[in-house]
Amino acid sequence: MSSLGELPVQVGPLSDELTYGRLIRGLRAQDIKLPEIRAELRRLWIEYGLIVFRGSRVTPEFQVDLSEVFGESEIHPVASFQHPEIEKLIRITTDTSGDDEDLIEVDGNVVAGWIPWHKDIVFTERLNHGGILHATKIVSSGGETGYLDQIEAYERLSPRMQRAVEDLEVVYHVTPIDESSFYADEKVRYLKVGAPLRAMLERDWPRVVHPLVIKQPGTERKLLNYSPLWAQHVVGMDRDESDALLQELSAFLWNIPAYYHEWEPDDMVLWDNWRMLHRVMPAPFDEVRVVERTTISGDYGFGRIL
Ligand SMILES: [Fe+2]
């Protein structure tokens, strides 16, 4: 661990095994007023992709102010996710007693909160640059947030696969999650589709395209720009060949060791949505998990409407 600038704030690896991620302990609201600290936080975010802030005094205001160190806030395109009071936050809960939440059977277990590997808003041509997540209500088991580095994923691809995916593009579109074999490793069945997901499925989204390989803006490191969730087919490829390739890519990602964040009350997690995939592990359906997230604006410039 080293200190962040001159501050009594510790910075270190998230774990000894990971090539990405940083843990920052004890960051305070006043610290992010300093220009040199803001610049160092931005550098760490781009360099390491994922930052866990632990031991901070978290308030919605601090979460939003910290998020704006990394870019302007963006309002989420699906209004039903909106936080009831704070415009710059979205709220995702697993209170299955109301109309908002999904009830899902995953590998035979009835759960809530589960979301497979994805990039946020990959079903639009723009990818927002990231977000800061904070769990305001934690469940007794499960509900971890997983993160997977796609720079590492690209490096782990065989030379054959690196060549195969180099110039390909994938079409993304919102379709029912339990109807695609690319979306998830688990056997999934929706018992109840909540209002936010229903609104997403009912809306007439344009089909969009994202390249499978990009270079990270700023560092030029290659990354595998693939989101299993919402992937449909490879542009210009025969359907069977495309299905086989996407299935292979999804299975490849499912087998890469990932970081799973186990939430403590004052944690905030920041990630780079251009680089990292994330997911949510199943939570008990009879408990309530609540997370609130900022959306860091930006357009990585590689996507387009088909
Ligand atoms: Fe997400």
Side-chain angles (χ1 to χ4, degrees), residues 57-73:
R57 207 182 137 261
V58 183
T59 62
E61 292 75 25
F62 183 33
Q63 186 182 355
V64 169
D65 288 348
L66 181 59
S67 181
E68 291 184 345
V69 167
F70 306 96
E72 283 175 33
S73 297

mmCIF file of all heavy atoms in Angstrom, residues 57-73:
data_model
loop_
_atom_site.group_PDB
_atom_site.id
_atom_site.type_symbol
_atom_site.label_atom_id
_atom_site.label_comp_id
_atom_site.label_asym_id
_atom_site.label_seq_id
_atom_site.Cartn_x
_atom_site.Cartn_y
_atom_site.Cartn_z
ATOM 1 N N ARG A 57 -16.783 7.773 4.168
ATOM 2 C CA ARG A 57 -18.134 8.064 4.667
ATOM 3 C C ARG A 57 -18.999 8.349 3.439
ATOM 4 O O ARG A 57 -18.886 9.400 2.834
ATOM 5 C CB ARG A 57 -18.093 9.278 5.595
ATOM 6 C CG ARG A 57 -19.205 9.239 6.608
ATOM 7 C CD ARG A 57 -19.220 10.443 7.514
ATOM 8 N NE ARG A 57 -20.614 10.875 7.653
ATOM 9 C CZ ARG A 57 -21.155 11.867 6.963
ATOM 10 N NH1 ARG A 57 -20.446 12.572 6.127
ATOM 11 N NH2 ARG A 57 -22.436 12.163 7.120
ATOM 12 N N VAL A 58 -19.799 7.369 3.048
ATOM 13 C CA VAL A 58 -20.523 7.479 1.779
ATOM 14 C C VAL A 58 -21.853 8.189 1.975
ATOM 15 O O VAL A 58 -22.645 7.817 2.834
ATOM 16 C CB VAL A 58 -20.759 6.079 1.157
ATOM 17 C CG1 VAL A 58 -21.434 6.222 -0.196
ATOM 18 C CG2 VAL A 58 -19.456 5.314 1.025
ATOM 19 N N THR A 59 -22.066 9.215 1.163
ATOM 20 C CA THR A 59 -23.380 9.856 1.052
ATOM 21 C C THR A 59 -23.685 9.923 -0.447
ATOM 22 O O THR A 59 -22.754 9.844 -1.265
ATOM 23 C CB THR A 59 -23.365 11.300 1.603
ATOM 24 O OG1 THR A 59 -22.442 12.080 0.803
ATOM 25 C CG2 THR A 59 -22.937 11.349 3.066
ATOM 26 N N PRO A 60 -24.965 10.093 -0.823
ATOM 27 C CA PRO A 60 -25.263 10.224 -2.260
ATOM 28 C C PRO A 60 -24.506 11.390 -2.896
ATOM 29 O O PRO A 60 -24.051 11.292 -4.039
ATOM 30 C CB PRO A 60 -26.778 10.461 -2.286
ATOM 31 C CG PRO A 60 -27.290 9.882 -1.015
ATOM 32 C CD PRO A 60 -26.195 10.062 0.005
ATOM 33 N N GLU A 61 -24.328 12.483 -2.137
ATOM 34 C CA GLU A 61 -23.630 13.661 -2.673
ATOM 35 C C GLU A 61 -22.157 13.324 -2.958
ATOM 36 O O GLU A 61 -21.615 13.688 -4.002
ATOM 37 C CB GLU A 61 -23.699 14.837 -1.679
ATOM 38 C CG GLU A 61 -25.088 15.424 -1.484
ATOM 39 C CD GLU A 61 -26.003 14.536 -0.635
ATOM 40 O OE1 GLU A 61 -25.499 13.736 0.195
ATOM 41 O OE2 GLU A 61 -27.238 14.622 -0.811
ATOM 42 N N PHE A 62 -21.511 12.624 -2.012
ATOM 43 C CA PHE A 62 -20.105 12.251 -2.200
ATOM 44 C C PHE A 62 -19.976 11.289 -3.385
ATOM 45 O O PHE A 62 -19.077 11.414 -4.215
ATOM 46 C CB PHE A 62 -19.547 11.633 -0.909
ATOM 47 C CG PHE A 62 -18.078 11.273 -0.985
ATOM 48 C CD1 PHE A 62 -17.188 12.018 -1.748
ATOM 49 C CD2 PHE A 62 -17.582 10.196 -0.264
ATOM 50 C CE1 PHE A 62 -15.826 11.685 -1.805
ATOM 51 C CE2 PHE A 62 -16.223 9.859 -0.312
ATOM 52 C CZ PHE A 62 -15.360 10.600 -1.095
ATOM 53 N N GLN A 63 -20.893 10.354 -3.481
ATOM 54 C CA GLN A 63 -20.862 9.391 -4.590
ATOM 55 C C GLN A 63 -20.940 10.119 -5.942
ATOM 56 O O GLN A 63 -20.176 9.823 -6.861
ATOM 57 C CB GLN A 63 -22.028 8.403 -4.445
ATOM 58 C CG GLN A 63 -22.011 7.271 -5.449
ATOM 59 C CD GLN A 63 -23.213 6.344 -5.281
ATOM 60 O OE1 GLN A 63 -24.007 6.500 -4.355
ATOM 61 N NE2 GLN A 63 -23.351 5.390 -6.187
ATOM 62 N N VAL A 64 -21.852 11.088 -6.039
ATOM 63 C CA VAL A 64 -22.004 11.844 -7.292
ATOM 64 C C VAL A 64 -20.774 12.726 -7.538
ATOM 65 O O VAL A 64 -20.231 12.771 -8.649
ATOM 66 C CB VAL A 64 -23.306 12.687 -7.280
ATOM 67 C CG1 VAL A 64 -23.329 13.658 -8.450
ATOM 68 C CG2 VAL A 64 -24.525 11.769 -7.324
ATOM 69 N N ASP A 65 -20.295 13.430 -6.494
ATOM 70 C CA ASP A 65 -19.120 14.306 -6.659
ATOM 71 C C ASP A 65 -17.892 13.481 -7.077
ATOM 72 O O ASP A 65 -17.119 13.902 -7.941
ATOM 73 C CB ASP A 65 -18.799 15.050 -5.354
ATOM 74 C CG ASP A 65 -19.829 16.143 -5.063
ATOM 75 O OD1 ASP A 65 -20.622 16.462 -5.964
ATOM 76 O OD2 ASP A 65 -19.829 16.650 -3.927
ATOM 77 N N LEU A 66 -17.717 12.306 -6.456
ATOM 78 C CA LEU A 66 -16.583 11.444 -6.803
ATOM 79 C C LEU A 66 -16.707 10.980 -8.258
ATOM 80 O O LEU A 66 -15.743 10.990 -9.024
ATOM 81 C CB LEU A 66 -16.532 10.243 -5.848
ATOM 82 C CG LEU A 66 -15.392 9.251 -6.066
ATOM 83 C CD1 LEU A 66 -14.020 9.916 -5.954
ATOM 84 C CD2 LEU A 66 -15.485 8.084 -5.064
ATOM 85 N N SER A 67 -17.925 10.610 -8.644
ATOM 86 C CA SER A 67 -18.168 10.167 -10.015
ATOM 87 C C SER A 67 -17.801 11.259 -11.018
ATOM 88 O O SER A 67 -17.248 10.987 -12.095
ATOM 89 C CB SER A 67 -19.642 9.774 -10.153
ATOM 90 O OG SER A 67 -19.925 9.324 -11.442
ATOM 91 N N GLU A 68 -18.064 12.518 -10.642
ATOM 92 C CA GLU A 68 -17.812 13.623 -11.568
ATOM 93 C C GLU A 68 -16.328 13.998 -11.649
ATOM 94 O O GLU A 68 -15.945 14.807 -12.494
ATOM 95 C CB GLU A 68 -18.732 14.805 -11.227
ATOM 96 C CG GLU A 68 -20.181 14.419 -11.556
ATOM 97 C CD GLU A 68 -21.228 15.498 -11.360
ATOM 98 O OE1 GLU A 68 -20.926 16.505 -10.696
ATOM 99 O OE2 GLU A 68 -22.353 15.316 -11.887
ATOM 100 N N VAL A 69 -15.490 13.360 -10.816
ATOM 101 C CA VAL A 69 -14.034 13.459 -11.012
ATOM 102 C C VAL A 69 -13.667 12.805 -12.356
ATOM 103 O O VAL A 69 -12.738 13.226 -13.040
ATOM 104 C CB VAL A 69 -13.283 12.743 -9.855
ATOM 105 C CG1 VAL A 69 -11.804 12.549 -10.186
ATOM 106 C CG2 VAL A 69 -13.451 13.504 -8.545
ATOM 107 N N PHE A 70 -14.440 11.783 -12.738
ATOM 108 C CA PHE A 70 -14.098 10.954 -13.906
ATOM 109 C C PHE A 70 -14.868 11.344 -15.169
ATOM 110 O O PHE A 70 -14.584 10.838 -16.248
ATOM 111 C CB PHE A 70 -14.345 9.476 -13.564
ATOM 112 C CG PHE A 70 -13.629 9.065 -12.313
ATOM 113 C CD1 PHE A 70 -14.274 9.064 -11.082
ATOM 114 C CD2 PHE A 70 -12.277 8.763 -12.347
ATOM 115 C CE1 PHE A 70 -13.592 8.745 -9.914
ATOM 116 C CE2 PHE A 70 -11.584 8.434 -11.188
ATOM 117 C CZ PHE A 70 -12.245 8.433 -9.968
ATOM 118 N N GLY A 71 -15.833 12.211 -15.027
ATOM 119 C CA GLY A 71 -16.611 12.646 -16.186
ATOM 120 C C GLY A 71 -17.959 13.161 -15.733
ATOM 121 O O GLY A 71 -18.386 12.902 -14.608
ATOM 122 N N GLU A 72 -18.630 13.866 -16.627
ATOM 123 C CA GLU A 72 -19.949 14.399 -16.296
ATOM 124 C C GLU A 72 -20.931 13.261 -16.045
ATOM 125 O O GLU A 72 -20.764 12.163 -16.575
ATOM 126 C CB GLU A 72 -20.476 15.232 -17.464
ATOM 127 C CG GLU A 72 -19.851 16.600 -17.567
ATOM 128 C CD GLU A 72 -20.318 17.321 -18.821
ATOM 129 O OE1 GLU A 72 -21.471 17.122 -19.249
ATOM 130 O OE2 GLU A 72 -19.501 18.074 -19.373
ATOM 131 N N SER A 73 -21.970 13.562 -15.273
ATOM 132 C CA SER A 73 -23.019 12.570 -15.033
ATOM 133 C C SER A 73 -23.931 12.502 -16.243
ATOM 134 O O SER A 73 -24.131 13.492 -16.951
ATOM 135 C CB SER A 73 -23.848 12.954 -13.808
ATOM 136 O OG SER A 73 -23.051 12.950 -12.656
#
